[in-house]
Every structure is written in C-alpha cells, then in structure tokens.
C-alpha cells in the first residue's frame, strides 16, 4: 500500500481539509486528491464523501482511521528515528501515559530524571487508556504508565505493578460529609455525583462499591476525564470518587479527600511488549517514579494509608 497515500489520508483527517493536507505535504490539491483515490482503489473502500467544498469521512473511512491511526501516526516518528541513527545516540526515552497520572506522578518523576541525567531527550505522549493499549503494541514507546491490567488482542504485554491507590471521595471542605472520617455508599448516594464513563475501570469499581452497599448513585455529570471530574468538584458541581494521585493535578485548597469504606483499590504500573529489554533510561525513570511515590507517602498518614508501593 502506498505510504504517501496513507500519509495524505491521515493529514486530511487530522487537518480537516484537502487544502491543509496539500500545504503540509507541499503538493497541489489535485495531487493529494489523486493519492487518496489511489488509496481507496488499493483498499477497495470509499473513505470520503466528496462535495464541492470538502471531503467528509464515510463510515468505512472512520473505521479505517480509527483502527489504523496509531500506525499512521508512526510515520511522524521516522524522521526522528533517522536523526537518532545518524547521531549514533539512540538516546531518546519515549513514554506514553494517561492523563489520570500524567500530571500527578509521571511529571515529577520525569523532572527528577532530568535533574539527574541532564540532556536526555524525553518524548511523552498522553493518551486515553484505549489508545494507549493500541500504541504500546507498536514499539513506538519504551514504556507505558497506566492503570493495570492491560492486554492486547494481538501482542503479549507485560504488566509490572508499581503502586496501588485507594479510592477516596473528593469534596469541598465545607461539605456536610467532610466531618466524617470515612464514607459509605449510603453516605454518598443522596448527593450529586460526578462519574467517569461506564466502560472505564475506575467507574466500574465505583459502581460496584455502590451496588455492594445497596445504594444507587445519582450521576449528574459523566466524563471521560478524571482531571475534569476533579475540576468540577472544585467548581462545586458535585462529589467525585477518585484517588489522591489523580487529585495532585489540581489545586486542592478548599477541598478534602475522604476514603470510602469498604476500601477499594486500583493498581498502577508499567507496561511494555513481552520480551523487550528496558533501556537504561526506562530503568532510571522507573527508579525516579518509585522515589516520587515514596515522597507522596511521606507527606503524612493520610497519604501513607492511601498510596501503597507494590515493588
């Protein structure tokens, strides 16, 4: 299949127009249009609806892009790979993680790594869990940091647990429930709740917590982003059941965390293709990550009781 045609297809989708894709590729619009027609002929799929003003993805085009996007995005890495080979360094450290722990855990670990090994070039990608699982299978990254477990339909992935965090209710300091040391499902059920999407692991844990407690939560807002849920608590939209590491990404002034009872925990760790040898940079980063976890636990009993190192 023609790589140039695939690149043209991706650029049209990403940039939103044939004209923008043509400009990015330094080609004329008719030339890019011919590349897309060639791809459709080779794939035997109609990827776009064509009107006078624009190209619009067909359902087949949407499905093709969704399934192949992580491979198409890999084309962007080729110039970087060539640079590394020419420089004979191979010194880049490529990491993929999820927004949930990117700011609260991965960012300080990377900062520590940079202080100890100045000059190391780190490439960090933030992806949803679904996209992260697909991307770690392409060997584009040295390491993935995400909630566990992770599996791939075609590629064997090693899961190495590093820590687990306890579920806690994030709420305003002046909320009536803030007076309690621990919160049960029946405590939380009467209040507006901010939930993650139903197919996410953390949401499934929270739903099971309520179900086991014989209570039905009232989700007034559902979001794919745990960071958005934290911010909405700050803005007074309701209560979110999240964790202490995730909550580090926002200003916690005026907010408080209360553990839920019975306790619910979720594990976080690193993932990589089975059989892969971790680079020295990856091993150094993991060491920095463990030290950041230790620093969080050292903040006081609340942190020590809610964050547990597993390695």
């Amino acid at each position: 299949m023609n790589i140039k045609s695939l690149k043209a297809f991706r650029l049209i989708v990403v940039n939103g127009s044939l004209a923008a894709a043509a400009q990015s590729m330094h080609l004329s619009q008719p030339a890019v249009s011919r590349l897309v027609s060639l791809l459709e002929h080779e794939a035997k799929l109609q990827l776009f609806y064509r009107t006078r003003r624009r190209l619009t993805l067909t359902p087949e085009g949407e499905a093709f892009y969704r399934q192949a996007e992580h491979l198409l995005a890999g084309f962007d890495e080729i110039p970087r790979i060539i640079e590394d080979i020419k420089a004979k360094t191979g010194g880049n450290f490529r990491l993929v993680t999820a927004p949930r722990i990117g700011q609260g855990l991965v960012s300080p670990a990377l900062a520590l790594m940079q202080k100890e090994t100045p000059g190391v070039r780190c490439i960090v990608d933030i992806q949803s869990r679904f996209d992260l699982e697909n991307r770690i299978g392409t060997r584009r990254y040295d390491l993935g940091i995400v909630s566990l477990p992770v599996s791939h339909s075609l590629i064997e992935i090693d899961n190495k647990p590093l820590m687990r965090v306890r579920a806690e209710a994030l709420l305003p300091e002046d909320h009536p429930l803030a007076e309690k040391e621990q919160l049960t499902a029946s405590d939380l059920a009467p209040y507006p709740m901010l939930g993650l999407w139903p197919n996410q692991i953390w949401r499934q844990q929270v739903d099971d917590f309520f179900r086991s407690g014989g209570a039905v939560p009232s989700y007034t807002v559902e979001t794919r982003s745990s960071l958005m849920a934290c911010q909405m608590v700050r803005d007074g939209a309701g209560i979110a059941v999240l964790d202490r590491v995730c909550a580090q990404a926002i200003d916690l002034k005026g907010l408080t965390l209360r553990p839920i009872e019975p306790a619910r925990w979720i594990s976080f760790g690193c993932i990589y293709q089975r059989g892969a040898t971790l680079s020295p940079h990856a091993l150094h980063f993991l060491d920095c990550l463990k030290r950041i976890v230790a620093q969080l636990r050292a903040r006081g009993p609340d942190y020590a009781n809610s964050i547990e190192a597993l390695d």
Side-chain angles (χ1 to χ4, degrees):
M1 194 165 283
N2 188 293
I3 291 177
K4 206 168 186 180
S5 295
L6 287 166
K7 186 175 182 180
F9 168 71
R10 178 175 182 265
L11 286 171
I12 292 170
V13 177
V14 171
N15 295 328
S17 72
L18 180 65
Q23 183 177 11
S24 179
M25 296 182 74
H26 305 290
L27 295 173
S28 67
Q29 292 187 43
V32 175
S33 181
R34 285 194 294 272
L35 286 171
V36 172
S37 295
L38 174 62
L39 178 61
E40 289 180 317
H41 175 74
E42 290 180 332
K44 295 181 174 55
L45 296 172
Q46 182 183 352
L47 302 174
F48 292 104
Y49 294 122
R50 290 162 171 81
T51 64
R52 289 184 177 181
R53 299 195 169 195
R54 60 179 302 180
L55 297 178
T56 306
L57 280 172
T58 64
E60 288 181 331
E62 289 183 8
F64 180 75
Y65 180 75
R66 189 168 55 250
Q67 295 297 324
E69 194 277 335
H70 64 287
L71 297 174
L72 300 174
F75 296 143
D76 297 337
E77 293 292 306
I78 293 176
R80 221 174 258 158
I81 293 169
I82 293 171
E83 285 179 14
D84 286 349
I85 293 172
K86 286 181 177 178
K88 297 182 179 178
T89 59
N92 288 350
F93 170 53
R94 293 176 171 85
L95 173 70
V96 62
T97 189
R100 182 185 192 90
I101 56 171
Q103 290 172 265
L105 188 63
V106 173
S107 177
L110 281 171
L112 179 59
M113 179 182 177
Q114 286 290 314
K115 288 178 183 177
E116 295 180 351
T117 53
V120 175
R121 186 182 182 202
C122 298
I123 299 166
V124 184
D125 197 0
I126 302 292
Q127 295 290 335
S128 70
R129 182 186 171 82
F130 173 79
D131 291 333
L132 190 148
E133 290 179 6
N134 285 329
R135 285 172 181 257
I136 201 67
T138 66
R139 290 191 182 271
R140 290 181 60 212
Y141 302 97
D142 297 288
L143 211 57
I145 304 295
V146 68
S147 57
L148 303 180
V150 171
S151 61
H152 193 282
S153 58
L154 300 175
I155 298 166
E156 289 187 300
I157 295 177
D158 277 332
N159 290 241
K160 183 178 181 181
L162 298 172
M163 58 178 284
R164 68 173 190 162
V165 295
R166 185 175 180 180
E168 298 184 79
L170 181 65
L171 64 163
E173 283 182 343
D174 59 359
H175 195 282
L177 292 181
E179 298 178 357
K180 289 178 168 280
E181 299 242 342
Q182 296 180 329
L183 298 175
T184 65
S186 58
D187 289 330
L188 293 167
Y191 296 94
M193 298 296 299
L194 310 171
L196 300 181
W197 283 5
N199 63 340
Q200 292 180 264
I201 290 178
W202 197 244
R203 169 64 182 272
Q204 292 168 0
Q205 285 264 30
V206 174
D207 283 349
D208 188 62
F209 161 73
F210 277 106
R211 189 164 47 248
S212 299
V216 179
S218 174
Y219 290 114
T220 56
V221 179
E222 293 177 313
T223 174
R224 191 176 182 178
S225 168
S226 54
L227 301 185
M228 182 67 176
C230 287
Q231 186 59 48
M232 285 190 293
V233 174
R234 175 155 200 79
D235 293 333
I239 300 172
V241 177
L242 296 163
D243 64 85
R244 210 163 274 261
V245 173
C246 171
Q248 301 307 303
I250 66 164
D251 181 4
L252 292 173
K253 185 178 180 180
L255 301 178
T256 190
L257 286 152
R258 292 290 181 268
I260 62 173
E261 182 60 36
R264 296 283 171 148
W265 298 80
I266 191 165
S267 296
F268 290 91
C270 66
I271 59 173
Y272 46 89
Q273 283 193 31
R274 185 159 296 168
T277 300
L278 293 183
S279 69
H281 293 323
L283 294 172
H284 183 199
F285 171 76
L286 289 175
D287 179 64
C288 291
L289 197 68
K290 292 172 187 175
R291 282 183 277 160
I292 294 299
V293 170
Q295 289 176 18
L296 287 173
R297 286 174 47 81
R299 289 184 180 181
D302 288 343
Y303 280 85
N305 292 333
S306 300
I307 302 171
E308 180 181 328
L310 297 178
D311 183 51

